[in-house]
Each structure stands twice: as C-alpha cells, then as structure tokens.
Amino acid sequence: QVQLVESGGGLAQAGGSLRLSCAASGSTFSINDMGWYRQAPGKQRELVAAISSGGYTNYADSVKGRFTISRDNRKNTVYLQMNSLKPEDTAVYYCNAEQVDPWLPDYWGQGTQVTVSS
C-alpha cells in the first residue's frame, strides 16, 4: 500500500503564501497521477490541481495563476505552492494519488488544514 503524508499547512494572511508537500511512501511504483483536493466547510471536495507522471498539470479556475503544482518523482513527493492566498482558499487540503490501474481505488492523505485570514 501507499501512504501519503501532507505537510506545510497552517495559518496565513490574505496575500501570503504557503507551500504544501505530500510525501508518498510504500509501493510508490503503483502511483500514476497525483493531485491536491480541498474541502471547505459546507462545500464538496474539489480538485485544486493535478499533475501527471509526465509533468502535465491542470488547475481549478479559482486557483489558476496563483497556485503551482510540481512533482519530484525521485523523491515521490508532490508540492503545491500557494501564492496570493485568499480567505476563500481556507479548507482542508488532501493529497491524492491515482494508481496506475485506474480501476483500483485512489490513495488519499489525511488532510492538512489551511486557514487564510483577511
């Protein structure tokens, strides 16, 4: 199995920056795409950013131009650089890893809280 451990969350002021990290361990050879999701109170979980094993990226419109996802395959780590933070970015952020076989369930981290104050 694969374990995903997020770090880097916390408190930030509006306009500030945070960098989230997600380190994968275990059977990391089974990982394909990786990404970040978030869930705010009263809202459904949404995709924030995703990155393929080849480095192709996709972003939610709400974070495009502010957030950058990157990946270090040798370190089995995915990052989310969050700049120009807004209060509406406040959410629990979850790391996600898709298995090479898409019919197998995804891996999920435990989540890390990001709180942005105005």
Side-chain angles (χ1 to χ4, degrees):
Q1 293 292 322
V2 170
Q3 296 79 46
L4 304 176
V5 179
E6 302 102 331
S7 61
L11 302 175
Q13 300 292 324
S17 298
L18 286 173
R19 187 180 187 236
L20 305 183
S21 298
C22 174
S25 61
S27 302
T28 56
F29 58 86
S30 68
I31 294 175
N32 192 20
D33 296 349
M34 297 186 72
W36 290 93
Y37 289 72
R38 68 185 181 187
Q39 187 167 24
K43 296 183 178 180
Q44 295 188 2
R45 186 174 298 187
E46 64 174 348
L47 176 67
V48 177
I51 184 168
S52 73
S53 59
Y56 298 100
T57 59
N58 185 51
Y59 297 92
D61 289 340
S62 60
V63 307
K64 194 171 297 182
R66 300 187 298 119
F67 292 7
T68 302
I69 189 170
S70 60
R71 182 172 183 171
D72 187 334
N73 290 327
R74 293 177 178 83
K75 296 181 179 179
N76 297 310
T77 301
V78 64
Y79 307 93
L80 185 67
Q81 179 66 46
M82 304 185 293
N83 297 326
S84 302
L85 284 164
K86 303 176 180 179
E88 50 263 44
D89 294 320
T90 296
V92 177
Y93 284 70
Y94 297 91
C95 182
N96 167 268
E98 180 186 80
Q99 296 204 53
V100 173
D101 184 347
W103 290 105
L104 296 175
D106 289 2
Y107 298 109
W108 291 92
Q110 79 285 353
T112 185
Q113 177 71 46
V114 171
T115 302
V116 183
S117 63
S118 59

